[in-house]
Amino acid sequence: MEYRLFYLTKDLPIYFRADQVGLLFFTVETVLWLAAGIFSLDYMKQEKHKARYYGAYFLVYGVLQGLNFAGNMITFYLFYELMTLLSVPLVLHHQTKEALMAGLKYLLYSVFGGALILFGFFLLASYGNGLTFQAAGILAGQVPGEKEALVLSASFCMILGFSVKAGMFPFHGWLPTAHPEAPAPASAVLSAVIVKMGILGIIRTVYYVVGADVLRGTWVQIIWLILALITVFMGSVLAYRERLLKKRLAYSTVSQAAYILFGLALMNGQALTGSLLHIVCHALFKGTLFLFAGALIHQTGKQRVDELKGIGKQMPAALWCFTLASLGLVGIPPTVGFLSKWYLAAGALESKILPFSWLGPAVLLISALFTAGYLLPISIEGFLPGDRFGEKRKKEPAWLMLFPILTLAFVSLLMGIFPGIITDQLIQIVGTIF
């Protein structure tokens, strides 16, 4: 289904088209937006400026649909910048000095990323028609030798620009600043959805405009792989060292989003399947974790991981959901996180790009160990702290907050037990690209 709304110029149409990738992101976003929205009904009761929060919350969701179903790069870029502007109020909602600085940092990083994207778009604009999205790319096999350097430079600028939103090193600084300052449901959608829009932009650039065949084996792919693996490792180490729970989860997002970027950079079928699968499971897991953090703060006021001994006696159902999501991020079967990392490792081995074919799986394994180190002790000390730790009085969150956490955890478990529900669809999507 295609629809042209109007033309900015005769060569730049605002153009929408529904495809399988857009429908995948639409489904993930809708599930997370609905879950966080239901959670907000109780969480935001005592907050000021609720009308402003909900207005920005629903406007951003509407703009995301323009991104999902954009049919060319100019349409995607316009909605991408609009998403940034409308999501800033979610970050600075509390209007504290820290929140305002976090919102400003998020905006400045995003403007820089947007400038890189626009520069790359200008370099490629000679190919016309707003760079219409087409599976396998519109430039594959059509780049003359004298323009190869220009196309590679433009592609690299656009990959870096979109990577700002995805939190790739060295552009990751806004995530651990913005996530802790936003209300917990906003943090959940920032981590689970907004970060993924940078990833969607890279998918559209690499696989639907330039074409993987143009970039495969070039300096662009090598630098991208290096930056992705640095980010995987760095994010895990920083999360392990962090003691503030929401900030730890933000650093975890930096690392986990880089898993997806690494798979995209490998540019083969198995790795792309793993990246798409990790988009889905990371959204479910990180949504669960951030909503748990919000319920914890709402019910107990505790924000540091060293304050959580015995919390399982007070919030057993919520902590069980946290534990399940943590196991998924580590990649322990039968969670679907194991399967996404399996595809990523298999894609790295299949690529035969030395040293990344063996270095990639090694870094992913080391990162998984760090992930276990910064998430699982919370559950262990929460459930098994000894009799002298923790109040036994229940502080389980209200049903409006607990139900979304339980639902996200259940869906992720169901996908792990019956992975064909999602993997068959993803393999079909990948088959249309390669």
Side-chain angles (χ1 to χ4, degrees):
M1 183 170 58
E2 302 180 1
Y3 182 65
R4 281 179 173 82
L5 187 59
F6 61 87
Y7 285 79
L8 294 178
T9 73
K10 67 175 183 177
D11 297 319
L12 295 177
I14 300 300
Y15 172 42
F16 296 97
R17 184 184 64 187
D19 65 1
Q20 290 178 305
V21 170
L23 289 170
L24 173 68
F25 277 82
F26 165 77
T27 303
V28 172
E29 290 162 10
T30 300
V31 170
L32 267 296
W33 227 261
L34 183 60
I38 294 172
F39 183 94
S40 298
L41 295 176
D42 195 74
Y43 182 90
M44 298 295 293
K45 277 183 179 179
Q46 305 304 319
E47 294 281 343
K48 298 178 181 179
H49 308 296
K50 290 191 286 290
R52 183 185 65 199
Y53 171 84
Y54 285 116
Y57 188 81
F58 288 109
L59 283 173
V60 172
Y61 177 74
V63 168
L64 290 175
Q65 307 323 310
L67 281 168
N68 295 333
F69 302 119
N72 60 12
M73 187 54 73
I74 186 61
T75 307
F76 190 94
Y77 177 77
L78 291 175
F79 279 90
Y80 187 82
E81 293 292 69
L82 189 57
M83 174 196 69
T84 296
L85 294 175
L86 292 175
S87 58
V88 169
L90 298 178
V91 177
L92 51 78
H93 174 79
H94 290 129
Q95 294 184 291
T96 62
K97 179 181 178 181
E98 292 78 12
L100 293 174
M101 293 304 297
L104 179 61
K105 190 172 185 178
Y106 170 55
L107 183 60
L108 291 176
Y109 270 73
S110 298
V111 168
F112 174 73
L116 285 176
I117 296 166
L118 188 60
F119 180 70
F121 177 81
F122 281 150
L123 292 179
L124 296 178
S126 60
Y127 289 92
N129 204 28
L131 300 182
T132 303
F133 297 147
Q134 177 180 306
I138 62 173
L139 305 186
Q142 300 182 34
V143 181
E146 66 272 13
K147 287 194 174 183
E148 182 178 356
L150 177 68
V151 169
L152 293 180
S153 299
S155 302
F156 188 63
C157 285
M158 295 181 74
I159 290 170
L160 285 184
F162 284 120
S163 293
V164 173
K165 196 74 78 192
M168 188 171 74
F169 174 85
F171 310 116
H172 63 285
W174 70 270
L175 271 91
T177 303
H179 283 51
E181 296 303 327
S187 296
V189 296
L190 280 169
S191 180
V193 176
I194 300 297
V195 167
K196 305 298 190 307
M197 292 301 98
I199 292 170
L200 177 58
I202 292 174
I203 291 173
R204 293 303 195 188
T205 299
V206 173
Y207 294 98
Y208 285 83
V209 173
V210 179
D213 289 340
V214 175
L215 300 178
R216 194 179 288 115
T218 66
W219 60 269
V220 174
Q221 183 184 30
I222 300 303
I223 295 177
W224 185 9
L225 287 167
I226 292 171
L227 292 177
L229 288 182
I230 289 174
T231 311
V232 169
F233 181 76
M234 178 204 65
S236 297
V237 173
L238 293 176
Y240 183 80
R241 291 165 55 89
E242 180 58 50
R243 291 293 173 261
L244 191 66
L245 179 57
K246 285 180 71 178
K247 199 167 185 179
R248 175 177 286 191
L249 296 179
Y251 278 124
S252 173
T253 294
V254 171
S255 177
Q256 296 292 324
Y259 280 58
I260 301 168
L261 296 174
F262 175 70
L264 296 178
L266 289 169
M267 301 182 195
N268 64 54
Q270 289 214 73
L272 181 55
T273 302
S275 288
L276 294 177
L277 183 56
H278 205 64
I279 287 169
V280 177
C281 64
H282 176 261
L284 293 171
F285 297 148
K286 198 52 64 73
T288 303
L289 295 177
F290 267 110
L291 293 183
F292 168 83
L296 177 72
I297 295 168
H298 186 273
Q299 297 299 105
T300 69
K302 297 176 180 178
Q303 300 189 46
R304 295 178 58 84
V305 294
D306 50 16
E307 299 174 334
L308 303 185
K309 286 187 177 181
I311 197 66
K313 296 179 179 180
Q314 301 173 53
M315 302 172 60
L319 189 59
W320 273 115
C321 294
F322 176 93
T323 303
L324 180 62
S326 299
L327 293 173
L329 278 188
V330 176
I332 297 175
T335 66
V336 70
F338 167 77
L339 197 58
S340 67
K341 294 181 181 182
W342 178 273
Y343 273 109
L344 290 171
L349 295 172
E350 179 186 308
S351 71
K352 299 180 181 178
I353 306 173
L354 295 175
F356 301 102
S357 58
W358 60 266
L359 182 61
V363 172
L364 297 187
L365 177 59
I366 293 170
S367 173
L369 295 175
F370 274 108
T371 304
Y374 65 71
L375 288 178
L376 296 186
I378 296 174
S379 297
I380 293 170
E381 294 184 355
F383 283 121
L384 306 170
D387 292 337
R388 58 195 182 91
F389 287 106
E391 303 176 21
K392 294 186 178 180
R393 182 168 58 89
K394 290 291 179 65
K395 293 186 178 180
E396 204 76 80
W399 184 244
L400 280 175
M401 290 202 294
L402 185 59
F403 176 73
I405 300 173
L406 290 169
T407 301
L408 293 179
F410 175 75
V411 171
S412 64
L413 179 62
L414 189 67
M415 286 174 50
I417 297 174
F418 304 103
I421 295 173
I422 183 68
T423 55
D424 291 346
Q425 300 300 318
L426 298 182
I427 291 171
Q428 182 180 350
I429 293 173
V430 172
T432 66
I433 297 174
F434 289 103

